[in-house]
Amino acid sequence: MNNIYRPIEATLEDVITESPNIKTFVLSLKEPFEFRTGQFIELTLPGIGEAPFTPSSDPNIKDKIDVTIMSVGKVTSILHNSHKGISLGVRGPYGKGYPLDKFEGKDILIVGGGVGLAPLRSLLFSLFAQIDKYNKVVLRYGARTGGDIIYKDAIAQWGKKKKVDVVTTVDVGDPQWKGNVGLVTTILKDLPVDLKKAVAIVCGPPIMMKFVTLKLLDLGFKPPDIYLSMEKNMSCGLGKCGHCRLGSYYACKDGPVFTYEQVKDLHDIWD
Amino acid sequence: MPDCYFIDSDRFNALFQQLKKDYKVFSPAQKEASGEKPQYYYEKILTSQPFVFNAYRTQEPLKAFFTYPYEEVSDYFSAQDNIKDIDEKTMIFGVKNCDIVGHKIQDFVFLEGVAVDSLYRLRRENTLLVSGDCTDYKEVCHCLSWNIMPYAKEGFDLNLAPIGGGYLIDVGSKKGEEAVQKYKGYFSDAKESQLNARQAKRDALVERLKKHLLPQDLVPLESVQKVVKDGYNADTWKQFMQTCVECGGCNLICDTCHCFLLAEKKEGNLNKKVRLWDSCLYANYARVAGGANPLKARAQRLRNRFMKKFDFFVDNLKMPACCGCGRCIEVCPGKIDIREVLKDLAVKTSAKNE
Ligand SMILES: Cc1cc2nc3c(=O)[nH]c(=O)nc-3n(C[C@H](O)[C@H](O)[C@H](O)COP(=O)(O)OP(=O)(O)OC[C@H]3O[C@@H](n4cnc5c(N)ncnc54)[C@H](O)[C@@H]3O)c2cc1C
Ligand code: SF4
Ligand code: SF4
Ligand code: FES
């Protein structure tokens, strides 16, 4: 019998500091484990608690997964103080993930805010692995300050790739920062995408997703072409515990990625 | 082979004693409640206790046999699967049709969808549900308003209907049929006259219940989803919520409510994953990282309970998650009555539509 609540044991192989409050945790799992980009896991500190995270690594890498985590509360702060070698529990993968087939032949606009770039990095790796299938990839990323930008070296590399266009911005400038200053919505002007064949994928804090969505609609994106990562309280990940209800969906099993078309008529989606 | 049998009272009592040897048997015991109709509570029947036929549902919800308020659901990092539930054949008497219908929600949640809860399935497979026709009702009973009859036609393994001198037993499943075959000697085939007698009793109770419910003018099944949807912004939620003490009782006692929380338990050096029943009336139910909470206001949480019952489940399972058993009404220290909340919404939304 298969126990759906049983966590797989994982060893914490490495901890990479990305910003003052964001770290990437490299896990090796002791049982076979595969995920599709955009699916999430429940990561447990045994005896302490668990929380949902979306792997930020390339799904084609099978022996390790990365999760990039911002320290915001109980589980995440203890994780941030954890060291290599400890055992963690992993349940999942859960949810539907990104529908890559729907992106084929498209201009793919990816808009990230803060730690929201984590799941998007996994998506980018998946797109890059089969870049011939897509027309182009346009990344727009905003962080609070220059110091809060994660994956700095990778972002610089991505910008040099063929068919890839990258612009970053920060909310608050400082003397070291030489780039754009302003909310991520300010770098959504003059996008090098053809609206007739464009999709937009957005991940970030609810308030950021709200304003980005409004902006995208303004620019002429259609609700079925805007993909959003909906954050809800989650416990089981399996559509059983009831916590993540979003209208008549469960964010865990029907999402966590939804098109704006699916959720636009629901109440209070940005709360 | 007819699927309805008769057993007289003496034989039934003998059979009941035998069943206690062959199964783990749960059956209600009657407790007198001052100034009210008696109440029925489940007990594991061990001794030579005689059988009690409960006139209406028990105090406890049926779900309590299949998931527990607090239980271990997994070890950490054991190579094998680690469900340690006792594999014991169980028979539950005293189930009513409201329980049977409400339990469809639990089955849907734990047996369907993206994954099957194997602990739940094991308990379900090991259990025979023995339902019984209602012979009376409680003030809070309103099954009929959801088109649910006070007697079961399906969803049980065996169903008992008391008629003169004994019971008619309906067989509702393969498990039920096997049980009947095992104790064949106790039964005779039901006679036409006995079936008629059962129908007369059923009809009489339905008439009494209709008389009880008609003056209440309850929101009917057909319009309940529209009522909660149209009433999303009504002040009903705030008004009714004023007396809520956030005890969670309404959810915990509800046969359709299924929300739970996975949590951790430390036992020396050993860690276990535990599952606790949860309630959407609790303040932290929907809290997310850093303290944000989409159900921060108390009225939002009451509304969540109703949207889940009358919108989500109507969309997902074509039935509301309310079976009219009235347990939430009885348990609520704030005297919040699900019937009254719906009626208030109906009044306010129809006023708005005019
Ligand atoms: C699908 C999904 C993917 C995500 N991916 C990422 C990611 O890749 N990276 C990332 O950084 N973040 C991600 N998040 C957010 C992440 O899950 C949260 O930051 C994390 O849950 C915070 O946990 P915490 O214990 O540190 O925070 P806390 O604020 O301490 O707790 C948050 C959780 O614990 C519960 N809780 C806390 N206190 C109480 C209490 N007193 N009583 C009851 N419940 C309580 C809350 O209800 C909530 O569920 C994701 C979220 C979702 C839903
Ligand atoms: S709600 Fe109906 S089925 Fe349930 S106990 Fe009352 S009368 Fe019987
Ligand atoms: S039983 Fe009544 S007081 Fe308790 S949480 Fe439910 S509505 Fe509130
Ligand atoms: S997290 Fe449990 S139902 Fe979605």
Side-chain angles (χ1 to χ4, degrees):
Chain A
M1 239 188 310
N2 172 37
N3 181 353
I4 58 174
Y5 306 113
R6 188 180 76 92
I8 298 175
E9 184 171 4
T11 306
L12 181 54
E13 295 283 347
D14 202 1
V15 181
I16 303 158
T17 299
E18 307 280 3
S19 85
N21 62 355
I22 300 174
K23 289 180 179 175
T24 294
F25 298 81
V26 182
L27 308 172
S28 65
L29 281 81
K30 299 207 169 162
E31 291 172 39
F33 183 90
E34 288 191 20
F35 69 97
R36 291 194 307 277
T37 183
Q39 286 190 299
F40 69 97
I41 60 166
E42 285 282 345
L43 183 64
T44 316
L45 279 159
I48 295 169
E50 65 179 0
F53 303 102
T54 316
S56 56
S57 50
D58 186 344
N60 299 309
I61 298 171
K62 309 282 181 205
D63 58 334
K64 287 200 176 72
I65 59 170
D66 294 354
V67 273
T68 302
I69 297 175
M70 181 158 84
S71 176
V72 291
K74 183 178 154 192
V75 170
T76 50
S77 64
I78 298 175
L79 269 172
H80 268 242
N81 292 320
S82 299
H83 299 287
K84 279 189 219 181
I86 63 162
S87 278
L88 298 169
V90 171
R91 296 190 295 116
Y94 298 131
K96 289 202 195 299
Y98 289 110
L100 291 178
D101 53 323
K102 295 228 169 76
F103 304 160
E104 287 177 19
K106 298 284 171 77
D107 290 358
I108 306 169
L109 170 67
I110 298 178
V111 188
V115 77
L117 190 57
L120 298 176
R121 185 177 74 164
S122 168
L123 172 65
L124 287 165
F125 286 140
S126 307
L127 298 176
F128 295 160
Q130 292 187 296
I131 193 72
D132 297 344
K133 286 188 175 177
Y134 313 102
N135 202 49
K136 66 165 75 154
V137 176
V138 177
L139 174 67
R140 295 293 179 266
Y141 175 55
R144 213 171 51 81
T145 70
D148 293 311
I149 291 184
I150 61 174
Y151 312 141
K152 281 188 195 73
D153 298 343
I155 291 174
Q157 293 298 314
W158 298 339
K160 292 179 196 144
K161 280 183 185 284
K162 225 171 58 199
K163 294 167 89 168
V164 180
D165 178 283
V166 177
V167 176
T168 57
T169 183
V170 298
D171 301 350
V172 185
D174 56 62
Q176 283 90 45
W177 178 252
K178 306 280 179 261
N180 298 310
V181 177
L183 299 176
V184 74
T185 41
T186 60
I187 53 169
L188 296 179
K189 282 184 295 225
D190 308 320
L191 291 167
V193 297
D194 176 359
L195 275 177
K196 283 197 285 297
K197 53 170 185 187
V199 294
I201 297 143
V202 190
C203 187
I207 183 83
M208 168 266 182
M209 290 209 294
K210 175 179 174 175
F211 286 108
V212 169
T213 302
L214 295 177
K215 180 83 185 176
L216 293 174
L217 292 169
D218 229 31
L219 291 172
F221 279 85
K222 297 277 171 293
D225 297 325
I226 302 174
Y227 293 83
L228 305 168
S229 294
M230 304 306 289
E231 187 176 342
K232 283 269 151 191
N233 174 309
M234 290 187 186
S235 182
C236 69
L238 292 155
K240 311 229 175 271
C241 77
H243 282 93
C244 66
R245 188 178 71 85
L246 185 70
S248 289
Y249 300 113
Y250 281 135
C252 67
K253 80 169 176 52
D254 302 312
V257 178
F258 291 90
T259 64
Y260 183 60
E261 177 70 22
Q262 285 176 291
V263 297
K264 69 181 180 355
D265 297 326
L266 305 178
H267 294 279
D268 312 322
I269 55 168
W270 309 115
D271 284 1
Chain B
M1 182 63 57
D3 55 2
C4 188
Y5 302 87
F6 175 73
I7 182 167
D8 71 38
S9 302
D10 288 344
R11 282 182 186 212
F12 183 82
N13 287 328
L15 173 61
F16 191 62
Q17 301 312 321
Q18 182 58 42
L19 289 173
K20 284 189 268 183
K21 296 187 187 117
D22 301 345
Y23 292 85
K24 187 158 109 186
V25 171
F26 291 91
S27 193
Q30 182 170 332
K31 293 199 179 134
E32 299 307 321
S34 64
E36 293 169 42
K37 291 181 175 177
Q39 300 186 334
Y40 300 96
Y41 289 88
Y42 271 111
E43 278 180 12
K44 186 176 169 213
I45 303 294
L46 292 168
T47 54
S48 59
Q49 240 165 301
F51 177 69
V52 172
F53 186 89
N54 51 322
Y56 33 78
R57 62 158 176 83
T58 56
Q59 297 303 107
E60 304 95 328
L62 184 59
K63 70 176 176 186
F65 290 102
F66 301 98
T67 64
Y68 305 151
Y70 180 95
E71 64 178 317
E72 287 173 12
V73 290
S74 181
D75 291 341
Y76 270 95
F77 313 147
S78 51
Q80 297 206 338
D81 174 59
N82 43 28
I83 301 174
K84 287 175 262 34
D85 211 48
I86 311 154
D87 219 344
E88 208 177 345
K89 296 284 174 232
T90 304
M91 211 180 259
I92 302 174
F93 284 85
V95 179
K96 297 299 175 188
N97 198 31
C98 52
D99 301 321
I100 298 263
V101 173
H103 208 66
K104 284 187 187 170
I105 301 277
Q106 303 289 332
D107 280 351
F108 174 72
V109 170
F110 292 104
L111 297 178
E112 315 261 321
V114 294
V116 172
D117 185 312
S118 41
L119 198 55
Y120 181 94
R121 185 176 59 194
L122 178 69
R123 289 173 188 160
R124 199 75 172 84
E125 282 169 356
N126 277 337
T127 304
L128 267 92
L129 294 181
V130 186
S131 56
D133 288 14
C134 286
T135 55
D136 198 357
Y137 56 82
K138 309 190 94 176
E139 192 283 319
V140 297
C141 287
H142 57 289
C143 51
L144 270 185
S145 78
W146 299 138
N147 301 351
I148 297 167
M149 290 301 190
Y151 53 85
K153 292 289 241 182
E154 54 168 28
F156 53 81
D157 296 300
L158 296 170
N159 182 70
L160 296 181
I163 58 161
Y167 300 95
L168 282 187
I169 300 194
D170 265 347
V171 177
S173 71
K174 201 160 153 281
K175 263 192 281 181
E177 183 60 39
E178 281 162 10
V180 163
Q181 288 308 320
K182 194 163 149 195
Y183 305 103
K184 218 172 176 171
Y186 288 91
F187 307 107
S188 56
D189 289 351
K191 295 197 198 79
E192 182 89 31
S193 60
Q194 292 170 324
L195 290 168
N196 291 339
R198 177 175 75 178
Q199 197 53 48
K201 287 189 97 175
R202 286 178 169 179
D203 293 346
L205 183 72
V206 168
E207 281 315 307
R208 282 179 57 212
L209 196 49
K210 272 189 188 157
K211 275 212 187 80
H212 173 64
L213 293 173
L214 213 59
Q216 297 182 30
D217 195 21
L218 301 181
V219 173
L221 181 62
E222 303 74 51
S223 59
V224 69
Q225 185 178 25
K226 184 166 170 15
V227 164
V228 296
K229 282 179 116 162
D230 289 355
Y232 193 84
N233 292 312
D235 61 3
T236 306
W237 312 113
K238 218 169 164 176
Q239 272 174 22
F240 277 85
M241 201 56 186
Q242 274 167 7
T243 52
C244 175
V245 298
E246 298 174 37
C247 65
C250 50
N251 294 127
L252 304 180
I253 201 98
C254 175
D255 227 335
T256 72
C257 281
H258 60 87
C259 284
F260 62 81
L261 196 66
L262 293 175
E264 305 293 309
K265 175 181 163 191
K266 245 183 159 35
E267 247 177 16
N269 286 332
L270 277 183
N271 297 307
K272 299 270 168 70
K273 206 165 265 304
V274 293
R275 176 172 67 190
L276 305 90
W277 286 356
D278 202 357
S279 158
C280 61
L281 273 300
Y282 292 160
N284 280 325
Y285 175 81
R287 188 181 169 277
V288 291
N293 188 347
L295 301 179
K296 195 175 220 103
R298 287 154 44 85
Q300 291 177 315
R301 299 203 286 279
L302 184 65
R303 180 171 65 195
N304 181 74
R305 181 175 151 225
F306 282 73
M307 297 310 288
K308 180 73 183 284
K309 287 187 178 301
F310 300 110
D311 185 30
F312 179 93
F313 273 114
V314 173
D315 275 353
N316 279 286
L317 196 54
K318 308 265 176 295
M319 66 181 274
C322 176
C323 58
C325 72
R327 286 184 176 94
C328 57
I329 307 170
E330 279 183 342
V331 83
C332 182
K335 304 227 177 309
I336 299 170
D337 186 328
I338 192 165
R339 297 169 295 186
E340 297 301 324
V341 175
L342 290 173
K343 276 165 69 178
D344 192 68
L345 287 170
V347 167
K348 285 173 180 159
T349 54
S350 71
K352 193 187 71 184
N353 290 341
E354 269 163 24

